[in-house]
Amino acid sequence: MFKKISMTILALFLFLPSWSQAGSFGNEDPSGVPGQWYVGTTPSYVAPSKQPILFVHGLNSSSNTWWNDNNMYDTAYQNGYETAFIDLYPTKNMWDNGALLAQKIREIYNYYGEKVVVVAHSKGGIDTQSALVHYGAFPYVSRVITLSTPHHGSQLADLAYSSWAGWLAGILGSKNDATYSLQTGYMAYFRSETDQHVNVNKNPIYTFGGTKWGGFGSSLYWGGLYLWGYGSNDGAVTVNSSRLPYATELRVGDWNHFTIKEGSSTFNLFRDYLNESTVNSSGEKVQIQSSEQSTSFNTYAASYVRGGETNGKKQEKVLVEEGADSVTFDWISNCSSSRITLQDPKQTIHSSFKVKKDEGEYFNGAYHYTLTIPNPIPGEWTLQSSSSNSEKYLMNVSFESTVNDAVKVNVDEDEISFKKQDSKIKLQKETTIEYYKNGKLKESKLKLKDGTLKLPKLGEGVYNVTIDIDAEKDKKRFKRTLIKTIYVDSTGKVFVQ
């Protein structure tokens, strides 16, 4: 049994739960209407110390993410907790969702007559913090637990708005207010507006992060490969992005972005933080306080990216340096029937690509054609796509190689600079940078001077910066792509992660 509650109507939906399970929401549940919230079945006994749990979903999701193919709702019920679930806008930013969530949190507080604990997955953690800090919902919440929330944005959102991926992301519908706001540059702005706010410490925050990518060929596996150069990740969010310097990190574990929200994965790890008088497993009271955690962001050159559109045939040349341990080719397309072949420098053809449809947050609906080559032959490889129809595509080539950390790129308010890890690194003249604002080219092929580029004067907006690196180490030439975003506010102040 559960209750569905809207602003003006209180309706009760009855199902037939078994003796051991919470009320079933089932396939007939009309979840997904922004602003509606649901009350789970009340356990037979609820201890006075157990506060109700409000579950908040993430990007491109809805409330049923907590019970469809997920035992989180049932696990909470079995542990004697009252539960509520909210539907937010799946593709709107943290400001729109924050305002809506703040209003509904007040209603939920009035329904229960006490504060709730918020458990939020992915972007839901950002929407929650927006509701508490910027829209005044903090008096109605005791604490917040975030499960792989990209508190500092996602480099996959940066990629979706890049010059290389924009063709594909646009046709898939991945470009929306939510993904736009999750670009790392914009999230640097959100952090500046939030982390110094007078309300920021009103509610303790506890975080979880994941380090597993999912099965080979899955959207999370591909996402993990791309994010690899940015640090440990769960296929969608890096561990560093899941952290806040004033929050308490409860655990980083081998969950992917989907399994981290499952009841059997994490509930027992945050259960001790759900009660009014929070205690640990040994019966000692847990002091609710902040703890410092590292949120340093490293960027390694581990990928080579290209993309665009073609009328049916396309070739891409990829340079593989000597000494690379492995290279993974991932051709991402809006076509399910493309024929992909790969030719190595010795003219051998490789065609055993694994094909899988993307079910992730940023390129949902695209098709991945993925192939890993261990100990690849150095030289120029040729990837060719043939399709009977026009095709939008993104090619991401991920390298496992000692040169991945040869060059680091720093972006600050004044300039973009390349930091060479040793004196043997040589940047070629072909190294270039492009600026895009909202998908439109602003500056093209800007040249470096002594490894540094002074930022031009930029108007308000989010700027996607694509950096194509052509370099050499120990006479081994390599090419990589780095993608960053910068946000410029109305005063001209620059925000960057």
Side-chain angles (χ1 to χ4, degrees):
M1 180 179 73
F2 74 94
K3 301 173 186 176
K4 183 185 75 172
I5 297 162
S6 63
M7 183 179 299
T8 58
I9 301 175
L10 174 63
L12 182 64
F13 288 75
L14 298 178
F15 291 82
L16 297 175
S18 69
W19 66 270
S20 62
Q21 291 184 320
S24 171
F25 288 74
N27 293 328
E28 296 181 0
D29 167 55
S31 63
V33 179
Q36 286 188 341
W37 52 279
Y38 307 77
V39 174
T41 301
T42 302
S44 57
Y45 174 72
V46 179
S49 64
K50 293 184 176 180
Q51 295 182 304
I53 309 170
L54 170 61
F55 290 96
V56 180
H57 66 79
L59 178 67
N60 292 325
S61 187
S62 67
S63 59
N64 63 23
T65 192
W66 300 106
W67 62 84
N68 279 355
D69 299 319
N70 186 357
N71 61 357
M72 180 64 84
Y73 164 48
D74 189 62
T75 303
Y77 173 82
Q78 295 294 339
N79 279 270
Y81 286 91
E82 296 174 288
T83 54
F85 307 85
I86 181 77
D87 276 311
L88 300 178
Y89 299 106
T91 59
K92 288 196 174 184
N93 62 32
M94 71 286 287
W95 307 112
D96 292 332
N97 274 347
L100 177 62
L101 181 58
Q103 176 187 354
K104 299 304 173 180
I105 285 175
R106 293 184 185 94
E107 293 179 14
I108 295 169
Y109 168 85
N110 289 332
Y111 175 83
Y112 283 111
E114 62 178 315
K115 293 183 178 182
V116 299
V117 178
V118 174
V119 175
H121 177 242
S122 194
K123 180 178 171 288
I126 300 169
D127 295 335
T128 298
Q129 197 176 27
S130 177
L132 302 181
V133 174
H134 298 288
Y135 295 98
F138 64 87
Y140 314 108
V141 172
S142 59
R143 62 192 67 89
V144 178
I145 296 165
T146 64
L147 307 175
S148 192
T149 289
H151 292 291
H152 303 273
S154 174
Q155 290 81 8
L156 289 173
D158 293 350
L159 177 62
Y161 279 84
S162 70
S163 58
W164 295 124
W167 297 96
L168 180 61
I171 198 171
L172 294 173
S174 301
K175 289 184 173 182
N176 51 55
D177 290 347
T179 54
Y180 183 89
S181 69
L182 288 175
Q183 293 178 89
T184 57
Y186 191 84
M187 282 302 300
Y189 164 72
F190 178 75
R191 294 262 60 90
S192 73
E193 292 290 297
T194 303
D195 294 350
Q196 306 303 318
H197 197 284
V198 65
N199 293 336
V200 72
N201 290 317
K202 301 288 188 181
N203 308 99
I205 300 176
Y206 299 86
T207 68
F208 284 80
T211 60
K212 196 172 183 179
W213 300 352
F216 177 79
S218 69
S219 56
L220 290 181
Y221 182 84
W222 168 78
L225 277 174
Y226 181 78
L227 293 174
W228 181 34
Y230 300 93
S232 297
N233 66 85
D234 66 358
V237 176
T238 65
V239 171
N240 278 333
S241 190
S242 74
R243 293 168 167 163
L244 284 171
Y246 47 83
T248 300
E249 185 174 78
L250 294 183
R251 187 71 63 89
V252 172
D254 60 350
W255 308 290
N256 66 40
H257 196 62
F258 299 149
T259 60
I260 198 170
K261 65 182 176 181
E262 294 175 355
S264 53
S265 295
T266 51
F267 185 88
N268 286 339
L269 298 175
F270 63 72
R271 180 177 55 187
D272 293 336
Y273 297 83
L274 296 173
N275 303 339
E276 291 182 16
S277 298
T278 303
V279 297
N280 63 22
S281 57
S282 63
E284 299 174 339
K285 186 173 181 180
V286 175
Q287 299 209 344
I288 301 174
Q289 58 186 6
S290 300
S291 65
E292 293 294 323
Q293 50 183 287
S294 172
T295 52
S296 60
F297 297 96
N298 297 319
T299 301
Y300 296 103
S303 293
Y304 179 73
V305 180
R306 288 295 181 270
E309 63 178 345
T310 173
N311 290 326
K313 288 186 180 295
K314 183 64 178 180
Q315 277 192 356
E316 289 287 1
K317 303 290 186 179
V318 179
L319 179 65
V320 176
E321 68 272 7
E322 184 178 350
D325 294 323
S326 70
V327 59
T328 297
F329 296 84
D330 192 32
W331 184 271
I332 312 161
S333 170
N334 66 311
C335 295
S336 61
S337 58
S338 295
R339 182 173 180 269
I340 310 296
T341 58
L342 180 66
Q343 181 177 285
D344 67 25
K346 291 186 176 181
Q347 313 306 310
T348 301
I349 300 297
H350 306 261
S351 58
S352 55
F353 283 80
K354 183 171 183 178
V355 184
K356 191 159 186 179
K357 192 173 183 179
D358 195 317
E359 297 178 351
E361 296 178 332
Y362 296 97
F363 295 94
N364 189 290
Y367 295 88
H368 289 262
Y369 300 79
T370 310
L371 177 63
T372 297
I373 305 293
N375 303 311
I377 300 169
E380 188 174 73
W381 292 62
T382 302
L383 191 150
Q384 180 168 301
S385 171
S386 298
S387 174
S388 57
N389 301 311
S390 61
E391 180 182 24
K392 307 291 192 302
Y393 74 95
L394 170 66
M395 182 187 73
N396 178 62
V397 184
S398 301
F399 295 85
E400 185 178 355
S401 174
T402 58
V403 303
N404 285 355
D405 60 354
V407 179
K408 289 186 179 180
V409 177
N410 295 320
V411 183
D412 58 32
E413 294 188 10
D414 299 313
E415 65 183 22
I416 298 174
S417 60
F418 288 77
K419 183 179 180 181
K420 298 184 292 186
Q421 298 303 92
D422 61 58
S423 59
K424 296 179 181 179
I425 301 297
K426 294 182 180 179
L427 289 172
Q428 305 298 317
K429 292 182 179 179
E430 288 78 10
T431 296
T432 58
I433 298 174
E434 292 184 340
Y435 289 88
Y436 278 74
K437 179 182 180 181
N438 300 332
K440 296 182 179 180
L441 184 65
K442 294 290 290 184
E443 298 285 351
S444 178
K445 307 302 182 185
L446 300 173
K447 299 295 182 180
L448 301 175
K449 183 178 181 181
D450 299 325
T452 300
L453 173 71
K454 290 289 184 181
L455 290 174
K457 295 294 183 181
L458 302 170
E460 183 179 4
V462 177
Y463 293 81
N464 193 286
V465 182
T466 300
I467 305 166
D468 287 319
I469 299 172
D470 190 338
E472 185 178 284
K473 180 182 180 183
D474 296 327
K475 297 184 179 180
K476 299 175 184 178
R477 191 179 175 196
F478 63 95
K479 291 186 176 184
R480 297 290 193 272
T481 306
L482 287 172
I483 296 169
K484 304 276 286 183
T485 58
I486 298 170
Y487 178 72
V488 182
D489 70 9
S490 59
T491 69
K493 186 175 180 180
V494 177
F495 298 88
V496 63
Q497 184 190 93

